[in-house]
Amino acid sequence: MFPAPESDTPTPGRRRGGAPQNRSSQDGSVQNGPPQTDDAGRQLVFFGADAAEPTVADLAGLLAGPGEVVRMGGTARLSVQVDAAWRVHVLVAELASRGLAASWEPTEGARHAVRTSYTRVLKPLAAAWLHGPPPAFHLTGRRLRLWLAAAGTPEPPDGFLLRLGADDKQCWESIGDALAAAGLAGTLVDPGEGGPAYRITGRRRLARLAELVGGAPSAAPAAAWPT
């Protein structure tokens, strides 16, 4: 069982947003490099989920969806609401792999809130999103993997929804541009039509999505992950 969440009271300054630069540090600087290989010597997908070690900067992928970052003094906390228990398990593990303690609690409508503790480690991420998404951001495989784990939904037979933050309308266009730059050009689904979300369709784009996010986490149902 996961630990109970804290009862911190944040100061005003809640922000939501998208995802920053490819393989970036927490301050958003780009770190380019040659393609990497796995232990078997196979070339990994450039910017794919398996091409780099997990970093705190990856968590901007959650902000591309329904995630929120809240500042309190010199610290910040990231939280996201999800619609299934398996997402809780995956996200808590992903946060732990980045050195962040996380808690969760049930919310209305059979949903679950996952949140980190307040920590200085998240302060640069919060500062980067103080006024919305940073300019010229990109989506890497690890950021897409986190977004998908939090808010990705398959649409059989040939589609996938990546859900957005309902209150982040000013960010949606930039997020769509980042998806297109990653080879995942999608169609914006309005709130009244089952969104907000970007719909990714077509076998080629779904193959690209699967390639970038890597294999399904063990807690995820097989049908919930692109293959």
Side-chain angles (χ1 to χ4, degrees):
M1 180 179 240
F2 298 117
E6 298 180 357
S7 58
D8 298 291
T9 301
T11 57
R14 178 164 130 176
R15 291 291 183 272
R16 293 182 170 186
Q21 285 85 355
N22 286 341
R23 294 171 60 186
S24 67
S25 61
Q26 284 174 250
D27 63 7
S29 60
V30 178
Q31 299 176 0
N32 293 319
Q36 301 180 22
T37 58
D38 62 14
D39 293 338
R42 295 169 298 190
Q43 184 169 307
L44 301 177
V45 178
F46 195 50
F47 294 143
D50 298 325
E53 292 298 316
T55 68
V56 172
D58 300 336
L59 301 180
L62 292 175
L63 301 180
E68 302 175 0
V69 63
V70 182
R71 301 191 303 162
M72 183 172 69
T75 67
R77 180 178 73 182
L78 188 146
S79 62
V80 61
Q81 288 203 22
V82 300
D83 61 6
W86 71 264
R87 299 187 193 274
V88 175
H89 289 276
V90 173
L91 292 178
V92 168
E94 291 280 5
L95 291 167
S97 73
R98 292 163 174 83
L100 294 168
S103 60
W104 72 279
E105 66 177 352
T107 61
E108 295 181 2
R111 296 176 65 83
H112 313 272
V114 179
R115 60 175 64 94
T116 70
S117 300
Y118 282 97
T119 172
R120 294 184 182 275
V121 173
L122 292 173
K123 183 180 177 180
L125 184 67
W129 292 99
L130 181 61
H131 301 294
F137 68 87
H138 293 80
L139 287 166
T140 64
R142 285 200 176 277
R143 294 176 186 134
L144 283 163
R145 183 178 179 87
L146 287 166
W147 184 3
L148 193 148
T153 306
E155 279 197 328
D158 197 21
F160 216 97
L161 281 182
L162 292 172
R163 298 195 177 278
L164 300 159
D167 298 326
D168 299 336
K169 189 173 183 178
Q170 75 279 6
C171 304
W172 297 347
E173 183 177 353
S174 296
I175 293 169
D177 291 342
L179 282 169
L184 299 170
T187 302
L188 181 61
V189 181
D190 292 330
E193 299 175 351
Y198 272 102
R199 177 179 287 118
I200 311 300
T201 58
R203 293 183 180 179
R204 181 174 297 179
R205 291 192 184 99
L206 290 182
R208 172 65 173 166
L209 179 62
E211 184 180 50
L212 286 169
V213 301
S218 58
W225 205 259
T227 58

